[in-house]
Amino acid sequence: MEEAAALPAGERPGDRRLPGPATGGAGDEGRIEDVLAQPLVAAVEALGGYGGLVYLRSRDRRSLVLCVVAGMPRSLLRPWWRVPVGAALPMAEAYRSGKRLWLPDERATMLRFPQFTAALPYSFASAHQPVSVGGETVGVLVVLRSATREPLGKAAVVRVLHDAGRSTEERLAGFVRRTPAPVAADTGTGASAAADTVAHRTEYDGQPVGVRLPAPPAHPLRLGMVEWDLDSDRWWADDEALALLGLAREDFDGTTAGVEARVAPDDAHELRACRSDARAGMRIGSRHFRVLDEGAEGGRLRYRPVELWGHVVRAGSAGRLLVGALVEATGGVTAAEAAERLPDGLFSLDQDGRVTYANRRCVELLGRERDELLGHPPWQVIDWLHDPHYEDRYRAAMLSQEPVSYAVQDPEGAWLGFVLHPGVHGLTGRVFRTGPPAGASAGPVPEAGTAPGGGTAGAAPPGADSAVPPPEAVAPPRAGALYHVVQMASALTEAVTVRDVCRAVSEQLLPAFGARELALYAVHEGRMHLLWESGYPKGFLDAFEGVPLETELPGVHALTTRLPLFFESPEALSSAYPGISLDRMRAWSFLPLVASGRPVGSCILGWETSRRFTPDERSALIALGGLVAQALERARLYDAESAVARGLQEGLLPHRLPAIEGLVSTGRYLPGTQGMAIGGDWYDVIRTERGVALVIGDVEGHSVGAAAVMGQLRSAVHAFAASGHPPQEVVTHTNRLLADLEADAFATCCYIELDPATGRAFAVRAGHPPPLLRHPDGRTEALDLVGGVMLGVEANALYPVTAFTLAPGSVLALYTDGLVEQPGSDIGTGIEAVRRAFAHSGADSVEELADQLVGPARGVEDRPDDVALLLTAYRRAPGA
């Protein structure tokens, strides 16, 4: 793309325009889209693909935004111009993980991304390469390939993707270096400034730019320039024109007779007619004649068809001059003439599905004039092709790059067969008379008079935009709208709590529809309460909190009337609700959330610009409102059950720890945030005949059953310890008890009996992480305690005892694995991280120290496991 193109023969330098911004020329890479075009096209060609995409992250980092499209129509990908970062889509997965993906066919795609396949049920392969700059992932390069082509080995795919990723990253790095930083971001120095540079120059929120793939090899168009002096009958021709005439320059005498000698005798009249028309002042357009082809073999004459185009200019005293072009006509014109003679209809669509050619028979079969068809998708101008099923056949052909055939019944009852042959630059179709397929009936027709979802339309408030489009405007959802519904349904199936549902809605709805604000309200005791908001100015929603259901507000009205409201401008909203507070948004949708006939709340979306809500968007938003309502109702019941379960668990934990002379103890417990948020972690401090027992344990699982087993074990340990049993017997008896319960549960435990007078300690460990000990001098270590198997595994297991001594000023930390386990790393790494924090803490008390140690876990929203911590500071008992 960066090499200069050769000039045609006879053309003067400087006559051609330089490539425009979308061509990606070497001097036109001032836009990030142009930087990405060349490596994308190279990757598509290297993988033998038919299309490619580049996604970049959005400014708010919630979405991946389609930046460049190669070989595919932008309109076909409209629903995927913006996808949520957290979506179950291959490009989002590649971005999140930073790892390339190769999906060789629809089966592989279905196994990994079933929701993606449901939205795009077509056969194709796809490769996804993360793109990074400065070690930071900023986007994804995608190549689409026909699944029926010869298979590629994984090594070959990896090699191509690696080269494409490296080329893209090098170009982006150069773009970042030479692009001025935004003023708002030009505040840092050093590493922070470099990070701002990458962040602000590799974000994208615009519309995708289309890039054409190189055209397949075809018969090259040959064109030569001629000048014909009509008064003197003299000719001038450039080298290409002479070549078309089969003449060398030294053999051409410049006369009309010399040109006529090269023309087929049957066509000599055409050349003379050109001169007559030109002398009469007429333009010459597409005059056909044949010239001798000296390349004929076997002595047989062969002719090459050419056309003459031109117009007459006055050349001063020179008189009249015909200036024109001689064009070889072995390509387009000949093909069109052949197509017109076919008994079947033949038509061509561009990448966006618009008709670019239709032969005479096609016009007859479709019952439309050629001018009505050209420039329009056929399903938009032919009534009986309005059904989305037929548009989907075009989409299937373009995305799979495989022929597609189907039959349609026209209004007169005749059956027409259609065969679509796709290519990277468009589609060629054939239409012909055929018989009805087996069991055929008329094609599906959208049913009028019903609102999306099967409901009936109600009355909108005065001045409001129609909540449901008129019956005749209601259309079945296209694939794009279906995609959003499927994607949201998939995300909501994984949401458990009300908070999970709200977060999923925010992550899916905002990027899917390009909205900037979201508010979710729930109704409770006749009032509206805010559950979640995103994008609103601080404090803007305070005035709407707790409003009764009689309040004249669109969010309340949508819920009480169960009627979605759409306002396409601030004027429309203000007209319907005079005096309502407005922010910077310019369009809104207010969706009622109704589950099983019960009002749940309202969902409010706001857009920065005025917009027209299409029937497809309204249908999708209404359907999504129903999904959100069902998910919220389910999550509300779950949260209520979880609250009861957490109350049970908290009741089983010690409310306060006993005060022991010479010791200061404190405990912390954090429930997990996934599942029922209830588990089997516990800790305890127990007085014994020999001193005090410090205990911590963890029952596997997160359920009410795990909490119940935890309560039984805590009671057993407390009873055995208080009755005077030594540490080994306490753990042995507890293990046997758990085995006898047949609860199908296992547990870990660490039991330490300490004499406060001497600091002497005896410890038993049953499959539990080792305690941490901070010495008075600040040195901190994980105690190497001999351990036994987990409780409940083997009824007759033995548990050895380890003895050690605490020095005054020491601090002992017992904890469960939830404090030290982190996704993607081993438990040893987590223990070391907590040990360092324990060693370097400057806390003045065990309370403050405990808060510091559990602080990182407390800040994690998706905490998969419970966290328990028991800290004990040893001061030595007075008088010892």
Side-chain angles (χ1 to χ4, degrees):
M1 297 179 67
E2 297 181 353
E3 298 178 358
L7 294 173
E11 186 171 349
R12 292 179 289 273
D15 289 347
R16 293 169 64 91
R17 296 182 62 185
L18 292 175
T23 65
D28 293 306
E29 291 193 347
R31 294 167 57 111
I32 196 168
E33 304 97 308
D34 304 329
V35 174
L36 297 169
Q38 190 275 339
L40 176 62
V41 171
V44 173
E45 292 186 310
L47 277 181
Y50 62 81
L53 323 168
V54 177
Y55 283 92
L56 292 178
R57 59 190 181 182
S58 62
R59 292 189 181 93
D60 60 12
R61 307 300 173 86
R62 288 173 171 159
S63 311
L64 293 177
V65 182
L66 187 57
C67 179
V68 181
V69 182
M72 296 293 296
R74 297 190 317 153
S75 59
L76 193 62
L77 301 170
R78 181 65 181 86
W80 293 272
W81 283 13
R82 181 182 292 265
V83 300
V85 166
L89 300 171
M91 64 283 288
E93 172 68 20
Y95 174 80
R96 293 193 304 268
S97 67
K99 299 178 181 178
R100 64 178 62 94
L101 289 174
W102 167 235
L103 303 171
D105 51 38
E106 67 273 23
R107 182 177 181 275
T109 307
M110 170 69 78
L111 292 176
R112 291 287 302 275
F113 305 97
Q115 300 90 350
F116 184 56
T117 308
L120 280 176
Y122 312 116
S123 175
F124 62 90
S126 61
H128 306 260
Q129 171 65 37
V131 176
S132 302
V133 177
E136 183 178 2
T137 303
V138 299
V140 179
L141 182 147
V142 183
V143 176
L144 305 178
R145 191 176 189 270
S146 173
T148 60
R149 291 196 60 178
E150 66 280 1
L152 290 176
K154 185 176 180 180
V157 175
V158 169
R159 182 173 61 254
V160 171
L161 291 181
H162 176 269
D163 293 344
R166 184 175 59 183
S167 173
T168 306
E169 290 163 12
E170 290 174 353
R171 284 175 164 264
L172 278 177
F175 174 79
V176 167
R177 287 194 299 270
R178 66 177 180 265
T179 305
V183 176
D186 194 15
T187 57
T189 59
S192 62
D196 285 343
T197 296
V198 172
H200 289 280
R201 293 169 174 82
T202 55
E203 296 166 347
Y204 195 77
D205 272 307
Q207 293 190 1
V209 170
V211 177
R212 288 183 65 84
L213 294 177
H219 186 81
L221 176 67
R222 299 180 62 185
L223 180 147
M225 304 304 298
V226 298
E227 294 179 2
W228 186 359
D229 188 328
L230 299 175
D231 295 324
S232 64
D233 246 1
R234 300 288 298 178
W235 285 65
W236 172 89
D238 65 7
D239 292 340
E240 191 67 21
L242 291 175
L244 287 173
L245 293 171
L247 290 170
R249 184 164 296 281
E250 60 271 15
D251 298 331
F252 181 46
D253 59 6
T255 65
T256 301
V259 175
E260 287 183 351
R262 304 299 304 168
V263 175
D266 291 342
D267 295 343
H269 168 75
E270 294 297 319
L271 187 62
R272 294 192 295 271
C274 287
R275 178 170 50 190
S276 300
D277 291 346
R279 285 176 173 174
M282 298 171 59
R283 294 178 63 89
I284 307 302
S286 187
R287 277 285 188 173
H288 292 251
F289 50 88
R290 292 165 295 164
V291 298
L292 287 171
D293 186 352
E294 297 296 343
E297 298 178 358
R300 295 189 301 271
L301 290 178
R302 190 170 69 181
Y303 293 94
R304 178 188 300 114
V306 296
E307 299 177 357
L308 180 62
W309 296 72
H311 66 281
V312 177
V313 298
R314 293 287 178 177
S317 58
R320 295 165 297 180
L321 192 66
L322 175 66
V323 178
L326 202 61
V327 184
E328 187 175 27
T330 56
V333 173
T334 304
E337 290 177 348
E340 291 297 325
R341 293 189 288 267
L342 289 175
D344 293 340
L346 195 68
F347 60 91
S348 178
L349 307 182
D350 64 15
Q351 285 188 328
D352 290 314
R354 294 184 292 260
V355 178
T356 57
Y357 170 77
N359 71 350
R360 174 186 53 79
R361 182 57 174 161
C362 177
V363 169
E364 293 175 357
L365 291 174
L366 297 182
R368 288 291 186 275
E369 294 298 329
R370 201 187 309 261
D371 290 343
E372 295 181 80
L373 294 173
L374 294 179
H376 302 284
W379 48 85
Q380 289 186 3
V381 295
I382 302 175
D383 296 339
W384 41 277
L385 288 179
H386 268 320
D387 191 278
H389 171 78
Y390 305 130
E391 180 183 356
D392 188 63
R393 297 302 85 206
Y394 149 78
R395 183 180 290 106
M398 292 300 293
L399 286 174
S400 67
Q401 287 293 294
E402 292 297 321
V404 171
S405 61
Y406 55 96
V408 182
Q409 192 174 28
D410 68 15
E412 297 179 357
W415 284 92
L416 299 177
F418 286 80
V419 181
L420 309 180
H421 299 272
V424 296
H425 294 99
L427 179 150
T428 298
R430 186 167 67 95
V431 56
F432 50 91
R433 294 283 188 190
T434 186
S441 60
V445 178
E447 186 177 85
T450 57
T456 56
D465 182 21
S466 175
V468 178
E472 62 273 16
V474 176
R478 297 284 197 256
L482 175 62
Y483 160 76
H484 295 312
V485 175
V486 170
Q487 186 65 30
M488 176 64 79
S490 172
L492 291 178
T493 57
E494 301 176 2
V496 178
T497 66
V498 170
R499 182 177 180 83
D500 292 340
V501 172
C502 293
R503 181 168 56 242
V505 172
S506 178
E507 292 176 350
Q508 297 291 329
L509 270 184
L510 288 174
F513 291 90
R516 292 298 181 182
E517 288 182 351
L518 167 72
L520 286 171
Y521 281 88
V523 60
H524 180 64
E525 296 182 351
R527 293 182 177 271
M528 301 288 284
H529 298 280
L530 182 66
L531 292 177
W532 184 281
E533 66 88 12
S534 177
Y536 280 90
K538 185 177 181 180
F540 179 80
L541 296 176
D542 293 348
F544 305 100
E545 177 61 23
V547 297
L549 295 184
E550 296 77 24
T551 309
E552 285 297 319
L553 289 172
V556 177
H557 195 177
L559 179 62
T560 55
T561 63
R562 304 189 181 189
L563 192 68
L565 303 177
F566 298 91
F567 298 94
E568 300 182 343
S569 66
E571 293 76 18
L573 179 56
S574 298
S575 174
Y577 297 91
I580 189 172
S581 298
L582 300 178
D583 60 359
R584 66 184 186 280
M585 295 297 105
R586 308 290 297 173
W588 297 265
S589 69
F590 297 85
L591 306 175
L593 304 181
V594 180
S596 302
R598 179 180 176 274
V600 175
S602 294
C603 174
I604 304 171
L605 291 169
W607 285 263
E608 285 183 325
T609 59
S610 298
R611 64 187 285 117
R612 180 182 178 275
F613 294 96
T614 65
D616 283 355
E617 285 181 321
R618 294 174 187 248
S619 299
L621 286 169
I622 293 169
L624 290 171
L627 291 175
V628 173
Q630 294 287 349
L632 278 177
E633 183 69 359
R634 183 185 69 245
R636 185 190 65 81
L637 296 174
Y638 181 90
D639 284 350
E641 295 176 359
S642 297
V644 174
R646 285 195 299 270
L648 168 64
Q649 184 180 37
E650 291 170 1
L652 295 174
L653 291 172
H655 294 285
R656 67 175 60 88
L657 299 178
I660 309 293
E661 287 187 331
L663 301 178
V664 179
S665 297
T666 189
R668 295 291 185 272
Y669 174 77
L670 301 177
T673 60
Q674 297 180 1
M676 285 293 290
I678 182 172
D681 291 14
W682 93 92
Y683 58 86
D684 210 345
V685 176
I686 309 166
R687 294 181 186 273
T688 71
E689 294 179 354
R690 291 170 296 277
V692 62
L694 309 175
V695 190
I696 196 162
D698 182 2
V699 179
E700 68 169 357
H702 300 86
S703 64
V704 175
V709 172
M710 177 268 284
Q712 291 174 300
L713 291 183
R714 178 173 174 255
S715 298
V717 171
H718 199 287
F720 291 139
S723 62
H725 289 280
Q728 185 181 36
E729 292 183 9
V730 171
V731 177
T732 300
H733 291 329
T734 304
N735 172 60
R736 186 173 294 114
L737 172 66
L738 181 57
D740 292 341
L741 287 175
E742 297 182 353
D744 293 329
F746 305 107
T748 65
C749 178
C750 185
Y751 181 97
I752 300 177
E753 188 175 76
L754 173 66
D755 181 359
T758 64
R760 189 67 172 165
F762 299 90
V764 177
R765 186 166 67 95
H768 202 82
L772 298 176
L773 174 62
R774 188 171 75 179
H775 297 275
D777 59 2
R779 182 172 53 88
T780 306
E781 62 177 319
L783 292 178
D784 185 14
L785 304 182
V786 179
V789 298
M790 296 172 63
L791 303 178
V793 174
E794 184 181 345
N796 298 319
L798 298 178
Y799 295 91
V801 179
T802 303
F804 61 94
T805 302
L806 297 181
S810 300
V811 183
L812 189 64
L814 281 70
Y815 54 89
T816 57
D817 55 7
L819 182 68
V820 294
E821 282 187 333
Q822 299 177 355
S825 64
D826 58 75
I827 191 171
T829 302
I831 292 175
E832 176 60 21
V834 174
R835 187 200 66 77
R836 288 196 302 268
F838 192 21
H840 300 132
S841 172
D844 296 328
S845 67
V846 290
E847 299 290 343
E848 185 179 348
L849 177 57
D851 289 336
Q852 289 182 1
L853 293 181
V854 301
R858 194 187 300 275
V860 176
E861 290 187 2
D862 295 322
R863 192 167 50 249
D865 201 358
D866 301 1
V867 174
L869 172 69
L870 177 62
L871 279 184
T872 301
Y874 175 55
R875 304 289 188 240
R876 180 172 288 181

